[in-house]
Amino acid sequence: MLPRDPAILFSMLNMKLRDQYPSLDALCDDLDESKDALLAHMSQAGYAYDRELNAFVRL
């Protein structure tokens, strides 16, 4: 289960994307998380996924 706090989630997602997963799709599939829900949650907190960087960035 992923943390709900946006700052902690931001850090954790970027660490996992950097170290373990080639894409957000792979991360969501492996962790059985909804990509759309995760993107919406992060967007509300001021973050967006950058496919080229394979990381979340501040808006």
Side-chain angles (χ1 to χ4, degrees):
M1 182 173 198
L2 294 174
R4 298 304 297 165
D5 179 272
I8 294 171
L9 183 57
F10 171 76
S11 178
M12 182 179 166
L13 288 172
N14 280 343
M15 178 189 67
K16 287 187 172 291
L17 288 166
R18 180 190 69 231
D19 296 343
Q20 293 178 275
Y21 298 101
S23 69
L24 183 59
D25 289 320
L27 180 146
C28 289
D29 287 344
D30 191 47
L31 299 180
D32 197 28
E33 291 287 334
S34 166
K35 180 180 172 182
D36 291 336
L38 184 60
L39 288 171
H41 180 71
M42 293 302 287
S43 177
Q44 286 180 320
Y47 301 101
Y49 178 69
D50 184 314
R51 188 182 310 245
E52 287 185 29
L53 296 175
N54 190 34
F56 280 88
V57 296
R58 284 199 174 276
L59 293 175

